[in-house]
Amino acid sequence: MLYIDAGSCVDCGACVTACPADAIVPHTKLKPEQSLFLGLNAEYYQVFPHQDRTPLALVHEQRRLTREGPFRVAVVGAGPAGLYTADELLKHPEITVDVFDRLPTPYGLVRAGVAPDHEHTKQVEKLFRQIESQPGFRYFLGVEIGKDLSHAELTARYHAVVYTVGAASDKALGIPGDDMAGSLSATDFVGWYNGHPDKQDLAVSLDQERVVIVGNGNVALDCARILAEDPTLLEGTDIATLPLEVLRRSRVREIVVLGRRGPGQAAFTMPELVGLAGHDGINVVVDTGDHDLVGEDVKTRLLRELAQRPVDPAKRTIVLRFYASPVAVHGQERVTGIEVGRNRLVADEDGVPRAVPTGETETLAAGLLLRAVGYHGLPVADLPYDAKSGTVPNERGRVIPGVYVAGWVKRGPTGFIGTNKTDAEETVDQILDDLDAGIIPEPVGTTQGLRGVIRNRQPGMVDLAGWQAIDAEERRRGEASGRPRVKIVDVDEMRRIASTARPPRYAALRRWVRV
Ligand SMILES: Cc1cc2nc3c(=O)[nH]c(=O)nc-3n(C[C@H](O)[C@H](O)[C@H](O)COP(=O)(O)OP(=O)(O)OC[C@H]3O[C@@H](n4cnc5c(N)ncnc54)[C@H](O)[C@@H]3O)c2cc1C
Ligand SMILES: NC(=O)c1ccc[n+]([C@@H]2O[C@H](COP(=O)([O-])OP(=O)(O)OC[C@H]3O[C@@H](n4cnc5c(N)ncnc54)[C@H](OP(=O)(O)O)[C@@H]3O)[C@@H](O)[C@H]2O)c1
């Protein structure tokens, strides 16, 4: 959550206009269910008064390269980390940037992860559109590095290659029955409802009354909310078409979210809990078993208030259950129940509370199990890999001089969209240091003719104009049905639409600028 110090804020409203994710709202415009944020904000400054009024975000003077360019950088992955990296690099007129993504559409998890009912968050796309429109920026979308083009082919042509490929996989639970039909990862489920082309065949069956979600991070809350939401409200979002149909026919009444530790250790963040608490179409039940809900922190206070609310049987219910872990998945051919074990908390040698099973278990009847226990990065071809963290080992983003990482593949699958900006800044700083120090070898080749090489292997490559054509077509289809967009989920259809795009205005000038 972002806090604003009422003691020093002059209420000019500039931050409200500037915030790309619409995260700042004047107090006069808060909806009643959001009024909790006022108290949260005030309380923060009582605890952290920082009376010296030193700005927390210092604006640094723009760094300049000491070596003469031109320098070419390839960025692999057009998610937030990739686009923030490109933006930072393009602050240097000596640098041009080519951004590759395996999908014909950019924006990574902002398109395929952020929940469809969080439309304000997707406004960060406005910023991404500004980034991709800058001179010196080119897209090579629908091109998979490691398949359509190799790492060696990139390093031969670019001074630096930055991998921002995210964390495409998930963590396993490792309990009996976990691989049965009806046991899915939240990674797949989220991709499914968000229209990720690879996830549209996912078998999601919502024909039983209960779903169990393991893990209580923000992804778990997103999944729970989508499952509990009135489908008529989802019709006004960019949720993918087939999942919306499945959700319309859903028989689910209860979604149980299992947190292995207590409310004080819950991984979901306050804004997400406040959002859920303020949703008047969903019951939220708090179940701490035989543990008392003690503590005066804001999260516990809100959970205590939720625990006292009456349950309306006409609405779907999300149960936030604490001190509970799945121990086995029951069923013959598909999931019919989850055996849940109770936990108690024991501090480890660092004082961190850890969940320890008490040995007591019970079985919850359920037709679907979602594992929302975190994402996990996959190995990147020809780069070192730390299998435990699912990241590429690096030092401030540098793998070796000339090869870098940023975003989730660099630091692991945590943090918000904006976290990737500071992360990208650190990596770009490292690239600039290495360019200035002259330790990056001069590439043997150039990018001239690269487009032809790629087109030979991947004729459906999509450039900026192609992506803009897909975007316009999705919005056009959305307008016809009162939705922000209707996502196209078939890669061939995307490529076909992209191929009808006319070259952008000033294309000739752009080509000339790039030499
Ligand atoms: C379900 C979910 C919901 C979220 N919701 C929010 C939210 O509401 N607000 C918020 O602030 N944060 C949210 N986050 C966090 C935020 O999405 C991440 O911090 C951010 O997307 C990570 O950025 P990234 O660029 O590292 O990875 P990604 O966004 O995953 O982007 C990686 C890109 O790399 C591409 N790629 C992968 N491999 C290759 C390859 N071999 N060749 C070419 N391209 C490749 C992928 O197609 C993808 O486009 C959410 C995360 C999840 C999982
Ligand atoms: N709206 C938003 O802003 C938004 C939305 C979605 C995601 N995100 C961000 O994206 C990142 C990833 O989110 P996430 O929810 O995937 O991850 P996360 O925040 O790391 O949460 C993972 C959850 O899984 C639990 N867990 C891990 N292993 C487990 C196991 N073996 N058994 C039972 N539980 C287990 C963790 O419990 P422990 O705490 O006990 O380990 C935790 O509750 C986060 O930084 C998140 O804030 C933001």
Side-chain angles (χ1 to χ4, degrees):
M1 182 177 154
L2 180 73
Y3 301 92
I4 294 185
D5 184 359
S8 54
C9 171
V10 294
D11 221 3
C12 69
C15 58
V16 179
T17 327
C19 179
D22 252 7
I24 307 169
V25 182
H27 67 278
T28 47
K29 295 222 172 117
L30 286 176
K31 297 184 197 135
E33 66 271 19
Q34 294 175 317
S35 57
L36 249 164
F37 284 116
L38 282 180
L40 272 178
N41 193 73
E43 196 170 300
Y44 178 86
Y45 286 98
Q46 280 154 18
V47 181
F48 306 105
H50 71 89
Q51 276 128 344
D52 67 350
R53 305 278 179 237
T54 307
L56 295 179
L58 295 167
V59 180
H60 297 288
E61 203 178 312
Q62 178 60 48
R63 173 178 178 176
R64 288 287 155 227
L65 274 165
T66 55
R67 273 186 65 212
E68 254 185 55
F71 300 112
R72 296 179 299 279
V73 180
V75 173
V76 184
L83 291 173
Y84 284 131
T85 300
D87 194 31
E88 275 309 305
L89 288 164
L90 290 172
K91 288 178 180 163
H92 301 270
E94 307 86 344
I95 300 179
T96 54
V97 183
D98 288 346
V99 178
F100 297 79
D101 202 287
R102 57 182 291 273
L103 294 179
T105 52
Y107 309 161
L109 284 169
V110 170
R111 181 176 163 101
V114 172
D117 58 342
H118 279 177
E119 213 180 316
H120 62 281
T121 306
K122 292 174 194 250
Q123 291 194 29
V124 72
E125 291 183 3
K126 276 193 226 158
L127 174 72
F128 294 162
R129 279 195 282 277
Q130 282 171 18
I131 294 173
E132 69 196 12
S133 306
Q134 294 177 76
F137 181 106
R138 284 197 304 189
Y139 266 144
F140 290 87
L141 301 173
V143 180
E144 184 167 342
I145 302 306
K147 188 172 150 221
D148 300 319
L149 207 63
S150 70
H151 172 67
E153 286 173 306
L154 289 181
T155 51
R157 290 172 167 85
Y158 293 91
H159 293 84
V161 181
V162 189
Y163 285 89
T164 56
V165 291
S169 189
D170 53 274
K171 286 186 197 135
L173 277 177
I175 58 170
D178 188 18
D179 52 357
M180 210 181 298
S183 167
L184 305 176
S185 77
T187 310
D188 290 341
F189 182 69
V190 161
W192 174 72
Y193 66 63
N194 272 318
H196 192 295
D198 297 353
K199 310 288 184 190
Q200 296 309 294
D201 294 334
L202 195 71
V204 179
S205 165
L206 304 178
D207 55 358
Q208 294 197 34
E209 293 206 345
R210 188 181 289 122
V211 174
V212 173
I213 303 181
V214 186
N216 62 10
N218 284 336
V219 171
L221 286 203
D222 277 354
C223 295
R225 216 179 47 253
I226 294 298
L227 285 163
E229 188 60 279
D230 175 352
T232 54
L233 294 178
L234 291 174
E235 280 165 13
T237 72
D238 68 356
I239 190 167
T241 309
L242 171 79
L244 180 58
E245 274 313 305
V246 176
L247 287 163
R248 275 201 189 105
R249 296 193 302 270
S250 169
R251 295 187 53 211
V252 172
R253 301 298 311 159
E254 183 180 276
I255 300 104
V256 180
V257 178
L258 299 181
R260 61 179 166 183
R261 299 190 285 162
Q265 295 77 39
F268 53 71
T269 51
M270 262 320 271
E272 296 316 299
L273 183 63
V274 172
L276 195 59
H279 195 309
D280 57 12
I282 302 174
N283 297 309
V284 184
V285 168
V286 179
D287 177 357
T288 54
D290 46 15
H291 295 78
D292 292 332
L293 242 177
V294 286
E296 283 312 312
D297 60 292
V298 276
K299 211 181 248 180
T300 312
R301 280 197 331 248
L302 178 54
L303 287 168
R304 211 160 37 227
E305 190 257 300
L306 282 169
Q308 282 155 11
R309 283 192 194 171
V311 170
D312 178 348
K315 298 175 185 171
R316 288 194 173 123
T317 299
I318 295 177
V319 182
L320 300 177
R321 194 165 175 176
F322 296 94
Y323 308 102
S325 294
V327 291
V329 183
H330 295 307
Q332 292 297 330
E333 280 170 8
R334 49 164 304 166
V335 175
T336 55
I338 319 297
E339 193 175 331
V340 178
R342 287 197 182 181
N343 299 328
R344 64 194 172 89
L345 293 187
V346 175
D348 66 12
E349 61 271 20
D350 299 321
V352 178
R354 301 282 176 205
V356 174
T358 63
E360 288 166 87
T361 65
E362 69 172 298
T363 298
L364 295 178
L368 179 64
L369 173 76
L370 289 179
R371 304 183 298 274
V373 294
Y375 281 56
H376 196 75
L378 296 170
V380 177
D382 302 318
L383 260 59
Y385 177 63
D386 175 19
K388 192 160 178 270
S389 63
T391 58
V392 172
N394 67 88
E395 201 183 318
R396 293 181 64 239
R398 183 212 282 148
V399 184
I400 53 168
V403 181
Y404 305 84
V405 282
W408 278 17
V409 69
K410 170 184 172 188
R411 65 174 196 278
T414 58
F416 302 93
I417 296 164
T419 319
N420 300 294
K421 182 167 168 64
T422 20
D423 188 313
E425 280 170 6
E426 183 189 64
T427 296
V428 170
D429 222 33
Q430 184 66 67
I431 297 172
L432 301 178
D433 282 352
D434 292 356
L435 283 172
D436 274 342
I439 58 170
I440 296 182
E442 190 63 24
V444 290
T446 70
T447 52
Q448 269 185 352
L450 179 64
R451 202 179 279 274
V453 171
I454 298 175
R455 280 227 188 271
N456 275 337
R457 297 179 201 172
Q458 182 44 273
M461 182 186 82
V462 173
D463 59 10
L464 176 62
W467 153 235
Q468 286 169 339
I470 298 170
D471 185 41
E473 177 59 17
E474 287 189 340
R475 286 172 194 277
R476 193 192 62 75
R477 292 183 193 185
E479 243 171 64
S481 47
R483 307 184 57 193
R485 69 172 66 233
V486 172
K487 278 184 178 166
I488 299 167
V489 298
D490 179 60
V491 168
D492 291 336
E493 190 182 357
M494 290 180 192
R495 292 191 196 276
R496 217 170 28 250
I497 293 166
S499 70
T500 63
R502 272 184 274 145
R505 286 165 74 195
Y506 312 121
L509 179 62
R510 275 167 178 272
R511 273 196 294 277
W512 179 80
V513 167
R514 296 184 59 85
V515 269

